[in-house]
Amino acid sequence: MEKSMDMADVNYKKQRVSPFLRQLLAVSGVVMYMIGTGANIAYPGVLLEQLRQPDSAVKLTPEHESWIASVLGLALISGIIVAPFSLQRLGRKLTNQLSTLPAMGGWALLVTAKGPTALLISRFLQGFGMGLQAASAPVSIAEYSSPKHRGAFLATIAFSFAFGMLVAHVFGTLLYWRPAALACGSCYVISLILVSLSPETPPYLASVGRYIECRKSFRWFRGCDEDSEKELEVMLNSQRKSVTTSPKISKLKLLIQILRKPEFYKPTVIMMFMFVLFQISGMTVVPSYTVPMMDEVTDGTIEPYTSMLMVDVVRFATAVIACIVVNKLNRRTVLFIGIIVSVISLFLAALLLYLRDFGYIPDDYKWIPVIPTLMYIFGKTLGILPIPWAIAGEIFPLAYRSLGSGISGMFLSIMFFVVVKTAPTSFRQIGVSGTFCVYAFCIAVCGGFLFYLLPETRGKTLYEIECHFRGVKTEAKTDVCEKDKMLELERVEEG
């Protein structure tokens, strides 16, 4: 047995592709899916604008338009309900693969749609796949990645959203909506191929007792150096111990026990606020209604599609900066910088819009509200877009991550539907300026709660984070032996 293991080690060491590149390949499959998710969210911004034209092949009412933009939120709920069971029973890889199928089917149906019903069904299929992936993405990336690369890889989720929104609006500007849909849907084909090239995650294989496959998968992702081998053995031994020592109780009692654990319910409450903040900041409203929103902000001084692409470029450039900033600065610092910039910019943009409406701004400067509006896009993309997804990959103990992601993701889905569905009515009744004020107030309220609830997670092991929620103090910084112990426990929890 030992001889065969030695031969396996030699074979793995001979591979020329570094562990980092293998992890990057696996993460790229999830990233491509999230690019498609960004395109899903932003696509109504060009679809609805083209369908409003007199010669459009599909005629829509304002009610149809709001449902086409918001039905993703309802579909997300169904996908997120299924996700924890799929992740636990089918595994990370198969869940990622299956989530691409309804998304591809949705885009295919959208390409051939001849009426509002087909458009709604296609959007629902896209949203169901998004729901599966919304819960699966942080879990998959965290388990694909080694601890030193985990933060950087989790930050790519925000980048993927922004890039997908830019892709959808560029294709929608250059192409008719049917070929634009075909181009956007190709992201899921690439995602399926990339995910299929990588093995199942080692922690999942260990959790279901497939230890030989777990060893192969772990070495594929991490290599065979001494530290990696030690981490692998700690993970396997911990899993075997948990299997032999776990008492046999009913699933209901087990669920009640989990819900009562502070290391579960405290992170869940925090993620609820994080995802409410994510949606109430206009994260999905702006891409869906960029053209009419920016048309009012610019008062017609800038061509609508030009202003839409201005927003997309600012969002994309900021997302690139966020990937770097999230790894350099504390999570709380980045989040609250984003919140403060967003709130100030929204109130300032609303004030300028009110002043313009009452004639206090000369005609030559009617475009001036564009500046704080773009600052708002910068602020929410810098802090409010990436931090919830980075925190979601760190804040839950891996034993409860599927369940915690599912419950907190329900709030993401519900708020998605509510905010996007009510946005057209809000724009009509109180205008863009009034809507900006509402968003600014809600962001400030959520930010206030998170200021007291959210701990700093950067630079902490998973063990330290869990101890924080349990109310247990650690002396990791002053005791070297205890530090080594916590590092081993972190590796266990990564499994």
Side-chain angles (χ1 to χ4, degrees):
M1 179 67 178
E2 290 181 1
K3 184 177 180 180
S4 64
M5 291 301 297
D6 291 340
M7 290 299 296
D9 291 351
V10 171
N11 290 334
Y12 275 101
K13 288 178 181 178
K14 287 183 178 179
Q15 292 184 0
R16 296 181 180 180
V17 181
S18 69
F20 171 77
L21 291 178
R22 297 191 199 111
Q23 294 171 36
L24 182 61
L25 172 66
V27 171
S28 295
V30 180
V31 167
M32 286 305 303
Y33 196 106
M34 302 313 278
I35 290 174
T37 295
N40 285 344
I41 295 170
Y43 187 72
V46 292
L47 171 67
L48 300 179
E49 194 66 23
Q50 292 192 25
L51 294 182
R52 293 187 188 110
Q53 302 304 314
D55 58 346
S56 171
V58 180
K59 302 298 181 183
L60 301 177
T61 66
E63 188 67 14
H64 286 145
E65 292 184 5
S66 67
W67 275 105
I68 287 171
S70 63
V71 73
L72 285 179
L74 291 179
L76 272 168
I77 296 174
S78 60
I80 286 176
I81 290 174
V82 174
F85 302 98
S86 179
L87 288 169
Q88 191 64 31
R89 297 292 180 86
L90 304 179
R92 294 16 170 175
K93 179 177 179 177
L94 188 53
T95 299
N96 288 329
Q97 290 172 317
L98 292 176
S99 67
T100 63
L101 302 183
M104 288 190 291
W107 282 106
L109 180 59
L110 195 149
V111 170
T112 59
K114 296 182 179 179
T117 301
L119 290 174
L120 286 170
I121 294 173
S122 71
R123 297 285 288 167
F124 190 90
L125 288 172
Q126 293 169 0
F128 178 78
M130 284 170 56
L132 282 174
Q133 193 66 14
S136 175
V139 175
S140 299
I141 291 177
E143 295 184 359
Y144 283 139
S145 312
S146 60
K148 65 179 179 180
H149 300 313
R150 187 178 64 221
F153 284 143
L154 285 169
T156 60
I157 295 178
F159 167 81
S160 305
F161 277 140
F163 185 65
M165 293 172 186
L166 177 62
V167 166
H169 285 167
V170 169
F171 283 145
T173 301
L174 300 177
L175 303 173
Y176 187 56
W177 62 272
R178 292 187 193 275
L182 187 63
C184 292
S186 64
C187 293
Y188 296 101
V189 178
I190 300 172
S191 173
L192 178 59
I193 294 171
L194 291 174
V195 169
S196 300
L197 292 174
S198 304
E200 179 59 89
T201 66
Y204 174 76
L205 293 171
S207 71
V208 294
R210 295 157 60 180
Y211 299 123
I212 295 177
E213 294 176 65
C214 174
R215 288 181 182 276
K216 292 180 179 178
S217 175
F218 189 92
R219 290 176 176 133
W220 192 90
F221 282 110
R222 305 287 183 85
C224 295
D225 59 81
E226 184 177 348
D227 290 338
S228 296
E229 286 299 305
K230 182 179 179 181
E231 181 179 351
L232 172 60
E233 293 307 318
V234 170
M235 179 182 71
L236 291 174
N237 291 336
S238 173
Q239 182 59 37
R240 292 191 186 101
K241 183 178 179 181
S242 66
V243 170
T244 56
T245 59
S246 297
K248 300 296 182 181
I249 60 176
S250 68
K251 292 183 178 180
L252 179 59
K253 288 183 178 179
L254 178 61
L255 178 61
I256 293 173
Q257 286 183 4
I258 292 173
L259 293 176
R260 288 178 175 176
K261 291 183 177 181
E263 64 268 30
F264 173 78
Y265 70 76
K266 288 182 180 180
T268 302
V269 170
I270 289 172
M271 287 312 305
M272 288 176 182
F273 276 104
M274 294 286 274
F275 283 143
V276 170
L277 171 67
F278 182 87
Q279 293 293 357
I280 206 65
S281 67
M283 197 64 67
T284 49
V285 169
V286 173
S288 299
Y289 301 106
T290 305
V291 173
M293 185 194 80
M294 291 304 293
D295 190 42
E296 183 169 339
V297 169
T298 62
D299 197 27
T301 57
I302 301 176
E303 200 274 328
Y305 280 97
T306 301
S307 61
M308 177 183 71
L309 294 178
M310 287 170 55
V311 170
D312 289 335
V313 169
V314 170
R315 184 192 294 117
F316 175 72
T318 308
V320 174
I321 296 172
C323 289
I324 301 171
V325 170
V326 166
N327 287 315
K328 297 295 183 181
L329 300 179
N330 290 339
R331 307 285 191 261
R332 282 174 57 91
T333 302
V334 177
L335 176 65
F336 291 113
I337 287 175
I339 288 174
I340 292 169
V341 171
S342 298
V343 170
I344 293 175
S345 299
L346 283 169
F347 278 132
L348 181 58
L351 176 62
L352 291 173
L353 289 172
Y354 281 125
L355 291 175
R356 190 183 67 191
D357 291 342
F358 286 105
Y360 290 104
I361 296 180
D363 291 345
D364 291 343
Y365 296 96
K366 284 186 175 181
W367 56 269
I368 205 72
V370 172
I371 296 175
T373 302
L374 293 179
M375 285 301 299
Y376 150 64
I377 300 297
F378 169 81
K380 73 185 182 70
T381 307
L382 180 69
I384 301 175
L385 174 58
I387 296 301
W389 298 102
I391 293 295
E394 298 175 329
I395 201 170
F396 288 110
L398 284 178
Y400 315 130
R401 185 167 289 165
S402 297
L403 180 60
S405 297
I407 293 175
S408 57
M410 290 292 291
F411 280 77
L412 177 72
S413 306
I414 293 169
M415 290 303 300
F416 185 113
F417 173 74
V418 170
V419 173
V420 177
K421 185 71 174 68
T422 58
T425 302
S426 178
F427 289 152
R428 287 194 303 268
Q429 297 298 323
I430 60 176
V432 171
S433 55
T435 304
F436 279 2
C437 288
V438 172
Y439 288 172
F441 175 77
C442 293
I443 292 171
V445 171
C446 286
F449 279 104
L450 288 171
F451 183 81
Y452 291 101
L453 294 175
L454 180 66
E456 181 53 56
T457 60
R458 178 176 177 268
K460 293 185 178 180
T461 67
L462 298 179
Y463 177 71
E464 289 175 309
I465 296 170
E466 184 174 344
C467 285
H468 169 83
F469 289 117
R470 285 177 175 173
V472 177
K473 294 183 178 180
T474 63
E475 302 296 333
K477 294 182 179 179
T478 57
D479 193 315
V480 175
C481 294
E482 185 67 10
K483 182 66 175 180
D484 290 339
K485 180 181 177 181
M486 285 192 291
L487 288 173
E488 287 192 3
L489 285 169
E490 180 191 12
R491 290 167 179 163
V492 170
E493 290 193 31
E494 285 281 66

